Amino acid sequence: MSSVITTDSLTKSFPRVTALDRLTVDVQPGVVGLVGSNGAGKSTLIKILLGLAPATSGTARVLGLDVATDGPAIRERVGYMPEHDCLPPDVSATEFVVHMARMSGLPAAAARERTADTLRHVGLYEERYRPIGGYSTGMKQRVKLAQALVHDPQLVLLDEPTNGLDPVGRDDMLGLIRRIHTDFGISVLVTSHLLGELERTCDHLVVIDGGRLLRSSSTASFTEATQLLAVEVAADDDTPHLTDPDTAVRDRLAAAGLTVRPDTAAGELGGRIMLVEIADEGTYDIVRDTVADLGLGLVRMEQRRHRVVEIFHDGDTDHLVDQQKKGSADVGAV
Amino acid sequence: MSVPSEAAAATPRTGVIHNIGYRNYTGPRLGRGYATRSLFVQSLRGAYGLGRSAKSKVLPMVLLAAMCVPALIIVALAVSTDADKLATDYPSYLSNTSTLFGIFLAAQAPVALSRDLRFMTVPLYFSRPLTRTDYVRAKFAAMAAALLILTGLPVVILYLGALLAGMDLGHNTAHALYGLGTAVLYSVLYAAVGLVVAAATPRRGFGVAAIIGVLVVSTTVAGIAWALIGGPTGSPSANWAGLLSPSTLVDSLSTWLFRLPQGDGPSWPPSNGAGIVFLAEFIVTAAASYGLLLRRYRKF
């Protein structure tokens, strides 16, 4: 299967900062997440992939076309949804998307037809005739997505599409992104600074930080390492014999064969939160039973969403893996 | 609908792909040239409020009426009095109404550019086959065309009226063409100046005020300079002051190019050599504005 995006030692330097540093990735068709904290180089990469900014060195190909020479051909086949607001408030979604479809080269009649279809697919119905200024953030994001899809591209680049959405809106948007690939047959590159939300949506994740590639692998291999359960317990008056309930729980869980470590990234509060690696469905039961046996209160038990900086704060994958292993070993030895 | 094989292969997890009605587009993609023309038409219509709210049609339509009604009155008078000559020459009709199309420029140049900048729509254009040059070209052409309609229409009305009144065909045809030539000069230079100012600010209000400011202040400065150098006492060199503002520049240039009678104020180059300088300034200003616009959009 041919690659959708390939980059080879792609570097982009600005006078004072290196936005991309010898980035080499190979993205296959599907939904691919590009994860990085703010300023990691995600938007710069998208600009280069659209052929809008020249790379300082290295090469990149999108849909088999060279970004340096085939910019217009690439932009004809690719859709782009920017991170920032980009909608004029005084026109309706229909008028706006029709205009953008024509800017992509669609004849007037086809532009109207595709606009009606696309707005329906992203979930905008009657409101599409009203001025965009009155839309909610979720509806605006859908219009932005629609203008990226209206010309039926082979690939869409979505820059932080869940930004500013509430949890429900976020889930809707992620579901929509999934459907762009499964139902529409369009490959997706979606960026986010939240690893957790992309885990559920993407087939493949690419993590960059400071313009360098930290990791590129299938979501399955990613989630193996990152499925964690945050547990917080509280002693109550009935259990005076437990001077240190956290240690007691930790020992018990370790004895039950689970890997436990303190949540180092959460700061002050972190002392009270334990991260338990989820081995299988039974992990939840073990945690529950352990806490109940000790007569403690279970304050928190939640699947943890990682922020990239949390996992990769050293910016080095090998080091990270070592650290995680070491961390586990330490806890196991206690 | 046939599902692309790559989609099926890349999602083994879902297994079945449900057809919920997404249709692929298989029709023509007309490319850059078509997109540029569409943008031109949309921007030109937008300058007259077409395809926009009813409110935004008011000012351009009032100005279009204000440009044409005096011409209609002149024609009506000429026809009814059976005059053998129009009350005004075609090019001087335009120099007398330059304030009106100056207001039109100030109101509509920001509409053409500031909106896309303010609402950050520009990156959406450039993520399509359209290039920055195409965008600037379409907007420039649309603004100039909108001005040309505004300035050309009264000239056409005057000419038709002159024919209707049975005036001298040769003289009127020649001077109507001079009038259209002057309209082109005004349209190109005003569009160039207005768009550069409008592109500098995403705030429409600032753009409007700045364009009016540039036109009014420069015309005033040209008038004052003309008076100080000795224009009122008949010193020809005072007419160099015409270089100082877009309106006097075009006025002077058309007087010289079309060998029109010299009027009052800084409205004619003092010599043929000066005429070339005026022409050079016109070309340089228009070209530099176009270059500045391209530069403005380079970073998107």
Side-chain angles (χ1 to χ4, degrees):
Chain A
M1 192 186 311
S2 60
S3 300
V4 176
I5 298 169
T6 51
T7 69
D8 187 15
S9 298
L10 193 66
T11 302
K12 177 73 179 176
S13 306
F14 294 107
R16 278 180 302 140
V17 64
T18 300
L20 293 176
D21 191 2
R22 285 160 292 153
L23 189 69
T24 302
V25 291
D26 184 353
V27 172
Q28 300 297 316
V31 182
V32 176
L34 178 63
V35 192
S37 49
N38 293 329
K42 303 189 297 278
S43 298
T44 306
L45 178 59
I46 286 183
K47 267 187 112 168
I48 292 175
L49 294 179
L50 284 168
L52 294 175
T56 309
S57 67
T59 58
R61 301 182 83 80
V62 175
L63 303 169
L65 298 160
D66 190 335
V67 296
T69 52
D70 300 325
I74 290 172
R75 294 193 294 274
E76 195 164 84
R77 290 155 215 219
V78 172
Y80 166 58
M81 171 180 174
E83 177 184 2
H84 53 75
D85 287 333
C86 57
L87 307 172
D90 54 351
V91 297
S92 71
T94 298
E95 288 171 87
F96 181 72
V97 178
V98 167
H99 178 57
M100 283 301 150
R102 299 188 65 180
M103 291 301 105
S104 291
L106 268 59
R112 278 193 295 275
E113 196 179 320
R114 284 284 313 171
T115 297
D117 274 8
T118 311
L119 286 175
R120 184 166 49 81
H121 283 302
V122 301
L124 279 175
Y125 302 97
E126 290 313 309
E127 55 273 25
R128 66 178 189 266
Y129 301 111
R130 293 208 312 265
I132 295 171
Y135 288 13
S136 67
T137 310
M139 282 156 68
K140 283 182 187 164
Q141 291 297 87
R142 286 161 196 265
V143 180
K144 283 165 63 177
L145 185 60
Q147 65 79 30
L149 293 170
V150 71
H151 54 296
D152 190 26
Q154 293 166 35
L155 167 73
V156 280
L157 308 175
L158 311 178
D159 202 354
E160 302 269 359
T162 56
N163 242 9
L165 297 176
D166 60 26
V168 176
R170 206 167 265 262
D171 286 344
D172 287 352
M173 179 55 76
L174 292 171
L176 198 49
I177 290 168
R178 190 71 225 160
R179 275 182 46 215
I180 291 173
H181 179 59
T182 55
D183 295 349
F184 306 173
I186 298 169
S187 286
V188 181
L189 179 76
V190 50
T191 77
S192 178
H193 57 277
L194 296 168
L195 179 57
E197 64 176 30
L198 291 186
E199 276 174 2
R200 291 179 295 142
T201 315
C202 301
D203 306 315
H204 191 100
L205 285 172
V206 174
V207 183
I208 59 173
D209 190 43
R212 280 185 300 159
L213 179 68
L214 289 187
R215 183 162 172 180
S216 171
S217 54
S218 73
T219 310
S221 68
F222 238 101
T223 44
E224 261 169 36
T226 60
Q227 287 278 31
L228 292 169
L229 198 60
V231 176
E232 185 182 351
V233 297
D236 51 35
D237 298 338
D238 302 338
T239 54
H241 58 284
L242 281 175
T243 48
D244 187 355
D246 291 344
T247 312
V249 172
R250 211 175 287 174
D251 289 349
R252 287 269 200 117
L253 290 177
L258 294 174
T259 315
V260 188
R261 62 185 172 87
D263 185 4
T264 47
E268 294 235 333
L269 192 70
R272 305 294 331 260
I273 298 179
M274 292 170 265
L275 296 177
V276 182
E277 282 191 17
I278 301 175
D280 52 46
E281 289 289 306
T283 305
Y284 299 91
D285 296 342
I286 296 173
V287 171
R288 181 197 60 202
D289 296 344
T290 305
V291 175
D293 278 355
L294 288 168
L296 295 166
L298 188 54
V299 178
R300 175 202 305 264
M301 180 161 82
E302 63 187 12
Q303 238 181 313
R304 179 47 69 89
R305 286 189 175 187
H306 282 286
R307 285 176 302 129
V308 183
V309 284
E310 194 175 301
I311 320 172
F312 296 99
H313 50 111
D314 289 319
D316 185 325
T317 321
D318 295 337
H319 180 63
L320 166 97
V321 172
D322 287 351
Q323 193 187 37
Q324 224 167 24
K325 278 187 191 146
K326 194 159 126 284
S328 321
D330 283 353
V331 175
V334 168
Chain B
M1 189 192 83
S2 71
V3 174
S5 59
E6 60 177 33
T11 54
R13 220 158 48 83
T14 37
V16 184
I17 290 172
H18 297 283
N19 182 355
I20 53 108
Y22 185 83
R23 288 177 296 171
N24 287 96
Y25 177 70
T26 49
R29 291 170 195 266
L30 303 176
R32 275 175 58 191
Y34 166 82
T36 310
R37 283 195 303 279
S38 298
L39 184 61
F40 166 79
V41 171
Q42 193 246 10
S43 304
L44 176 56
R45 283 167 51 88
Y48 285 95
L50 303 174
R52 293 169 57 211
S53 66
K55 213 174 65 185
S56 50
K57 292 182 181 66
V58 175
L59 183 69
M61 291 307 173
V62 165
L63 287 171
L64 186 62
M67 284 296 289
C68 295
V69 167
L72 286 168
I73 293 173
I74 289 170
V75 165
L77 282 176
V79 172
S80 63
T81 58
D82 211 14
D84 56 356
K85 196 166 161 296
L86 287 172
T88 175
D89 194 15
Y90 302 87
S92 58
Y93 184 87
L94 293 180
S95 62
N96 289 331
T97 52
S98 66
T99 311
L100 289 177
F101 52 83
I103 294 173
F104 180 88
L105 176 77
Q108 304 307 324
V111 172
L113 294 185
S114 309
R115 272 168 44 89
D116 286 348
L117 289 170
R118 169 145 181 224
F119 303 118
M120 295 185 280
T121 318
V122 176
L124 295 188
Y125 288 102
F126 298 157
S127 69
R128 295 181 148 74
L130 206 76
T131 63
R132 293 144 170 125
T133 314
D134 295 334
Y135 180 86
V136 168
R137 211 179 277 165
K139 291 289 184 181
F140 199 123
M143 195 66 237
L147 283 166
L148 190 58
I149 290 172
L150 196 66
T151 49
L153 198 56
V155 172
V156 171
I157 291 172
L158 288 174
Y159 179 60
L160 292 179
L163 294 189
L164 201 66
M167 294 177 195
D168 177 36
L169 183 67
H171 173 85
N172 275 289
T173 305
H175 279 251
L177 287 176
Y178 297 161
L180 285 179
T182 310
V184 170
L185 293 177
Y186 271 119
S187 302
V188 170
L189 191 67
Y190 271 47
V193 171
L195 289 177
V196 164
V197 176
T201 171
R203 302 296 297 272
R204 194 169 128 192
F206 290 161
V208 172
I211 293 170
I212 294 213
V214 166
L215 293 179
V216 169
V217 169
S218 65
T219 307
T220 310
V221 166
I224 292 173
W226 177 78
L228 286 180
I229 303 171
T233 57
S235 161
S237 60
N239 286 300
W240 284 105
L243 288 170
L244 293 174
S245 88
S247 64
T248 53
L249 175 63
V250 173
D251 201 7
S252 307
L253 197 54
S254 95
T255 307
W256 176 69
L257 281 176
F258 306 127
R259 305 287 168 215
L260 299 172
Q262 294 166 354
D264 200 22
S267 61
W268 42 277
S271 64
N272 275 338
I276 290 165
V277 173
F278 276 65
L279 183 63
E281 193 201 353
F282 178 91
I283 292 168
V284 167
T285 308
S289 300
Y290 183 71
L292 280 173
L293 280 175
L294 284 181
R295 228 179 96 116
R296 173 72 179 86
Y297 287 95
R298 203 172 52 189
K299 71 183 169 84
F300 283 100

